[in-house]
Amino acid sequence: MQTGTVLISKVVAEGIRDGRITAQYRRWDAPRVKPGSTQLTAAGVVRFTRVAKVADVDRISDRAARAAGMKDAAALRRALTPKPDRKPSERGSKGGHTVYRINLEWAGEDPRIALRAQVPTRDELTEIAGRLDRLDRRPSGPWTRDILEWIRDNPQVVSKELAAIRGVELLPMKVDIRKLKALGLTISHDVGYELSPRGAAYLDSLPPR
C-alpha cells in the first residue's frame, strides 16, 4: 500500500537497504505517511513502520541521528531548522511546525525489475498497447512509440540529445520515460536508457511503419 511520500535520496535509500539507516526525520504540519505503507525508492521498496512526534529536537542523540544517516545530532538539528524564506515542500523536511520521526525498513526489490525481464504474453501485449494508447492521447499527439524506438536505436545515449531531436524540454520528457519505465518497458542508466526485454518484445510485436 502506497500513500503519501517522503523525499528519500539514493544514498539514504541504499542505507535503508543495507540496514544502516532505520529512521528519517521530517518537519511537517501533519504526518504524510502511515505505518504499514510503502514507497518505491532508488534502492527498492521501503516500508514505514512507525511515525511519531518528536517532543524535543534537542534531545535527539548522536546515535539516533546516525541511524537517520546524519553525521551527528547537531547536523540533524541544522537540517531540521525552519527556513522562513523557503516555501513549504510537499515532501521535504522544512514544511511544517512539528518534527516527526519516521521509522522505516527495506521491504524488497523494485517490482519493475522483475517485470521488465518478463517477455509479455499475447494478452499482456494487448494490455500494454492499450495503456500506451491512453498515454498517447494528448494534444501534442502520440509519443510513446517514437521514444521507445529512439531508445532501442540509441541505448545509453544522454537523454538531452533525445530531447533536442524531439524538440521538447528535457524534464517533461524524462517524466514521460518514467511512465514507460513503470510499465517495465525501459531501463534507466546513469547515462541514458535502454529497452528492457519486455519493451523490445513489445516493439517487435508492432507492424513496421
Side-chain angles (χ1 to χ4, degrees):
M1 175 181 64
Q2 183 159 350
T3 54
T5 57
V6 178
L7 184 61
I8 298 176
S9 69
K10 183 178 181 180
V11 171
V12 170
E14 290 172 347
I16 297 168
R17 180 187 178 115
D18 64 26
R20 290 181 294 107
I21 295 177
T22 58
Q24 289 288 277
Y25 292 82
R26 293 294 185 270
R27 184 177 288 279
W28 291 331
D29 286 324
R32 295 179 183 173
V33 295
K34 296 180 180 179
S37 63
T38 59
Q39 179 177 321
L40 186 60
T41 73
V45 179
V46 167
R47 179 184 297 110
F48 304 109
T49 59
R50 187 168 183 263
V51 181
K53 290 183 180 180
V54 177
D56 187 352
V57 174
D58 290 334
R59 297 188 65 181
I60 297 175
S61 66
D62 287 340
R63 181 179 179 181
R66 286 192 291 271
M70 303 299 289
K71 179 181 178 181
D72 52 30
L76 177 58
R77 283 191 284 271
R78 285 194 297 272
L80 291 169
T81 300
K83 293 185 177 180
D85 59 342
R86 178 175 174 177
K87 292 182 179 180
S89 167
E90 181 181 349
R91 298 186 296 173
S93 62
K94 303 176 179 66
H97 300 293
T98 303
V99 173
Y100 290 87
R101 183 182 66 252
I102 306 103
N103 292 91
L104 33 69
E105 62 186 8
W106 191 70
E109 296 287 357
D110 183 340
R112 296 173 301 184
I113 294 175
L115 179 64
R116 69 194 189 194
Q118 297 172 6
V119 175
T121 64
R122 181 177 299 178
D123 288 344
E124 288 173 332
L125 287 171
T126 300
E127 180 183 354
I128 292 169
R131 296 183 70 172
L132 294 183
D133 180 64
R134 289 191 290 274
L135 290 176
D136 282 334
R137 294 177 191 172
R138 63 187 188 191
S140 57
W143 57 272
T144 58
R145 183 170 180 175
D146 288 344
I147 287 185
L148 287 171
E149 289 180 343
W150 193 93
I151 292 173
R152 177 196 62 195
D153 298 336
N154 300 273
Q156 299 189 53
V157 172
V158 63
S159 53
K160 67 181 181 182
E161 290 189 16
L162 173 57
I165 290 171
R166 300 193 70 244
V168 297
E169 295 182 11
L170 178 60
L171 292 182
M173 187 200 70
K174 285 188 171 184
V175 171
D176 284 342
I177 294 176
R178 282 198 291 271
K179 294 174 184 177
L180 301 177
K181 183 178 179 180
L183 297 176
L185 303 179
T186 65
I187 300 171
S188 298
H189 295 283
D190 290 339
V191 176
Y193 312 90
E194 69 174 312
L195 286 189
S196 67
R198 191 174 186 84
Y202 170 72
L203 278 187
D204 288 344
S205 74
L206 299 178
R209 59 177 182 176

